[in-house]
Amino acid sequence: MADFTSSLYNMRLMDDLACKDTFVHKLHPLIKILTTIAYLFVVVSYDRHEIIGLLPMVFYPVVVFFLAELPVKQVLARLLLIEPFIIAIGILNPFFDSQVITVGGLALSRGWITFASILLKSLFTITAALILICTTGMDKLAAGLRMLKVPRLFVLQLLLTYRYISVLIEEVSRSIRAYKLRAPQQKGIHPGVWGTLVGQLLLRTIDRAERVYQAMSVRGFTGEYYTGADTRITIRDGAYFGGWLLFFILARMVNIPLMIGLLISGVIS
Amino acid sequence: MHMADALISPVIGGTMWVATAGVAAYSIKKIQDDMEEKKVPLMGVMGAFVFAAQMINFSIPGTGSSGHLGGGLILAAMLGPYAGFLAMASILLIQALFFGDGGLLAYGCNVFNLGFYTCFITYPLIFKWFIKKGISAKRMMAGSMIAAVVGLQLGAFSVVLETVFSGKTELPFSTFVLMMQPIHLAIGIVEGLVTAAVLTFVWKARPELIEKPVSGKISGNTSIKRIIYGLAIAAVVIGGGLSWFASSNPDGLEWSMEKTAGTTELAESGGIYGILADIQSKTAFLPDYSFKNDGSVSEQVSETSAEVAWPSVNAGTTVSGLVGGAMTLVLAAMIGFFIRSVKRRKKKVTA
């Protein structure tokens, strides 16, 4: 897990991005959730040694990225932070499947091919999740989840957790900074104060929850969360979802790059 | 321990989603039945607290390294199993969305691995058992320690099962187990120590916070039995249904289910293959051709089915594939730049 400042920065960046006003941002949240799920399913359903056939899947993140005017550099930087974990597991593939095949005169072990396939898939799936949150935002996403019949209690709880993460990260980081200033040159929190330090924070958290509940009750909280979002699904939303779905299915059934390649090499020879 | 989408198959992801949704629905019903709406803000704020507390470095004495808190057991102890499970699910969803930490398809797996075992197995059966006869610092320590270690071992083991059944990596079952379990033993010990320290402090300062959920109405056993039976039935129905569906579907799904069948056999016949697996585990790190034949059923299955599944590698199609792949990427980049330039022009016009 990243440190306090970078996590806070990251969450605020995504909040900011979600406030933009582009074609993709204006789409219905439910549509964006469904498109993301369809995309993830299709990407993950590819065989483990598929690389070329997987490539058309790059169209979805590229098109949405530019339509939604997301900053490529900043979001890709997030990806680079996550990739090492995937690499750690995938890098063993070449060792376990070292049967050699030749690709265009180049001898490769099959493990490298499955490894590359895993890398591509992780790149696509993580980008898809980031795109969803960067173009939708937590409130609208929650409204979308409610429309998917996710229980009210869970959605409400999710929103509260999200709302208080930034508050508590600040609170926890203040305590840790205070500790560090008084105990320099330590790698972490000394075992002697594990209980008191985290325990104090926990007690303060519980008191805060009490105050939050009282404040909510005073303002007429009855257990429902109102977003004020427009809940109608327009033809434009339907076309967006239908278009992508059609493309995903087509790309899954037909190896598009291979067909383009055959066409080109056929023309040349 | 967060699983990524790239390493799971749709069948495994979908099955675990259904299992997790089932447990979550049951938990929500339980909380609503108890009419503890006051708990909702507490759940939210506690979830946020655990999220923040996961970033604290705890120095581990004598090793020079530091560890982190997972927080599943603290959530269960402070909120009870049902609310604790839901709070964990929220944390994991936010991590998946904002940090790419764990995939969305793998979300079901992750909630199950990190939430279910601590909240519904080790908290009620181990932690509560230790402090049933009265709370003391020692009992709290023993309970937290064993509950955390067992919970993480179960979670790590199901990560292995889910990954191997998904069949996206080449890691043999035994090697993966030998990698995961010891690492998570160490993580579990740190988790247990921190949890015990925190809970003991809270208990001394505000005893009612610990004693209430432990002795409270949530009389674990019967309902937890029901959950486990329910899950077992659901797993059989879903697994059976999906595998029937998958085998009529001649693509990657079929292949991964074949592999699933193969590895289940391996897991069950541990006694017979025990010695062989042991030998294999020692040799498995060597990239040798022969080790695949000495006992790992899953490897054999994957070998043979991979043989069938591999496309015929002839030079012509390979070149076409490479050329076409390159063209696809170029096309995607061009579309991207086209959209951007159109957008920029529009902005200039409006500005």
Side-chain angles (χ1 to χ4, degrees), chain B residues 118-129:
Chain B
T118 27
C119 292
F120 290 106
I121 307 274
T122 64
Y123 170 72
L125 300 182
I126 298 173
F127 183 81
K128 271 174 95 171
W129 184 83

Side-chain angles (χ1 to χ4, degrees), chain A residues 99-221:
Chain A
Q99 196 156 324
V100 176
I101 56 159
T102 40
V103 180
L106 195 70
L108 268 179
S109 98
R110 284 199 326 208
W112 284 111
I113 302 218
T114 50
F115 175 49
S117 178
I118 287 178
L119 264 189
L120 266 185
K121 280 179 195 157
S122 67
L123 201 70
F124 291 166
T125 48
I126 296 169
T127 317
L130 289 177
I131 282 177
L132 175 65
I133 195 70
C134 286
T135 60
T136 313
M138 205 59 188
D139 283 347
K140 282 187 188 162
L141 194 79
L145 288 177
R146 283 293 288 134
M147 277 172 234
L148 277 172
K149 302 283 174 230
V150 175
R152 179 182 56 78
L153 195 139
F154 181 75
V155 175
L156 187 64
Q157 203 251 127
L158 176 71
L159 281 169
L160 277 167
T161 307
Y162 174 69
R163 172 64 187 84
Y164 280 94
I165 277 176
S166 53
V167 177
L168 283 170
I169 283 182
E170 277 175 2
E171 184 156 335
V172 170
S173 77
R174 268 198 303 278
S175 292
I176 299 298
R177 197 187 307 131
Y179 175 83
K180 276 187 179 160
L181 288 170
R182 288 160 178 81
Q185 307 236 318
Q186 274 193 25
K187 234 193 144 184
I189 307 297
H190 189 270
V193 292
W194 284 359
T196 37
L197 191 122
V198 184
Q200 284 284 6
L201 285 168
L202 185 73
L203 290 182
R204 251 190 281 161
T205 304
I206 289 168
D207 291 341
R208 182 190 290 275
E210 190 80 14
R211 290 198 302 276
V212 169
Y213 175 70
Q214 282 166 359
M216 284 162 77
S217 304
V218 164
R219 287 161 181 80
F221 170 71

Side-chain angles (χ1 to χ4, degrees), chain B residues 284-318:
Chain B
F285 276 107
L286 302 171
D288 193 355
Y289 295 116
S290 62
F291 80 90
K292 279 174 187 147
N293 303 325
D294 59 22
S296 166
V297 179
S298 71
E299 272 307 310
Q300 280 172 6
V301 172
S302 74
E303 275 297 297
T304 48
S305 56
E307 225 64 77
V308 180
W310 269 90
S312 54
V313 185
N314 82 38
T317 39
T318 314

Side-chain angles (χ1 to χ4, degrees), chain A residues 1-4 7 10-11 14-15 22-23 36-37 40-41 44-49 52 55-56 58-59 62-63 66-69 78 82 86 89 92-93 95-104 110 113-114 118 121-122 125-126 129-130 132-133 138 141 145 151-154 156-158 160-162 164-165 168-169 172 176 187-191 194-203 205-210 212-213 216 221-223 252 257-258 260-262 264-265, chain B residues 4-10 14 28 31-32 37-38 40-49 51-61 64-66 74 78 86-87 89-91 93-101 104-105 107 167-172 175-176 179 190 193-194 197-198 201-202 205-206 209 251-252 255 284 287 289 291-292 302-303 306-307 309-311 313 317-318 320-329 331-333 335-337 339-340 343 347:
Chain A
M1 193 87 247
D3 64 11
F4 300 109
S7 297
N10 182 52
M11 291 184 81
M14 296 203 175
D15 277 346
T22 70
F23 167 71
T36 308
I37 293 173
L40 292 177
F41 256 102
V44 169
S45 76
Y46 276 96
D47 236 21
R48 59 180 182 153
H49 46 63
I52 303 287
L55 287 178
V58 82
F59 280 103
V62 167
V63 168
F66 285 105
L67 276 179
E69 296 169 15
R78 296 276 350 143
I82 305 155
I86 312 284
I89 293 197
L92 291 166
N93 274 4
F95 294 100
F96 287 111
D97 190 356
S98 47
Q99 196 156 324
V100 176
I101 56 159
T102 40
V103 180
R110 284 199 326 208
I113 302 218
T114 50
I118 287 178
K121 280 179 195 157
S122 67
T125 48
I126 296 169
L130 289 177
L132 175 65
I133 195 70
M138 205 59 188
L141 194 79
L145 288 177
R152 179 182 56 78
L153 195 139
F154 181 75
L156 187 64
Q157 203 251 127
L158 176 71
L160 277 167
T161 307
Y162 174 69
Y164 280 94
I165 277 176
L168 283 170
I169 283 182
V172 170
I176 299 298
K187 234 193 144 184
I189 307 297
H190 189 270
W194 284 359
T196 37
L197 191 122
V198 184
Q200 284 284 6
L201 285 168
L202 185 73
L203 290 182
T205 304
I206 289 168
D207 291 341
R208 182 190 290 275
E210 190 80 14
V212 169
Y213 175 70
M216 284 162 77
F221 170 71
T222 54
R252 183 70 184 84
L258 193 65
I260 299 176
L262 282 173
I264 291 174
S265 53
Chain B
D5 282 343
L7 293 172
I8 64 157
S9 70
I28 288 168
I31 294 169
Q32 277 171 345
E37 60 161 356
K38 198 182 167 183
V40 176
L42 182 61
M43 282 159 73
V45 181
M46 275 296 290
F49 168 76
F51 191 101
Q54 283 176 344
M55 295 174 202
I56 301 176
N57 271 320
F58 296 99
S59 69
I60 299 157
S65 60
S66 58
I74 288 188
M78 301 302 299
L86 294 177
S90 292
I91 295 174
L93 186 57
I94 291 168
Q95 282 176 338
L97 282 170
F98 284 85
F99 298 90
D101 216 357
L104 290 180
L105 281 188
Y107 176 67
K168 302 278 169 182
T169 103
E170 307 284 338
L171 273 178
T175 317
F176 203 9
M179 260 170 58
V190 176
L193 288 173
V194 178
V198 173
F201 175 83
V202 173
R206 301 261 295 270
L209 289 175
D251 64 350
W255 176 83
Y289 295 116
F291 80 90
K292 279 174 187 147
S302 74
E303 275 297 297
E307 225 64 77
W310 269 90
V313 185
T317 39
T318 314
S320 307
L322 291 177
V323 171
M327 288 298 294
T328 311
L329 291 182
L331 197 63
I335 289 179
F337 284 117
I339 295 172
R340 197 166 70 166
K343 289 226 162 200
K347 262 188 197 154

Side-chain angles (χ1 to χ4, degrees), chain B residues 133-220:
Chain B
K133 287 174 199 144
I135 302 177
S136 74
K138 266 186 197 159
R139 285 191 188 142
M140 196 93 97
M141 172 61 95
S144 312
M145 190 60 136
I146 298 175
V149 168
V150 174
L152 272 155
Q153 288 296 310
L154 288 171
F157 189 64
S158 57
V159 170
V160 173
L161 284 185
E162 285 150 10
T163 311
V164 170
F165 286 174
S166 292
K168 302 278 169 182
T169 103
E170 307 284 338
L171 273 178
F173 173 76
S174 53
T175 317
F176 203 9
V177 166
L178 285 175
M179 260 170 58
M180 289 289 281
Q181 306 304 129
I183 296 173
H184 285 90
L185 181 66
I187 297 174
I189 290 172
V190 176
E191 173 91 23
L193 288 173
V194 178
T195 305
V198 173
L199 291 181
T200 311
F201 175 83
V202 173
W203 171 65
K204 279 180 182 156
R206 301 261 295 270
E208 78 279 5
L209 289 175
I210 301 286
E211 280 161 16
K212 206 170 129 201
V214 168
S215 63
K217 297 160 275 182
I218 309 155
S219 54

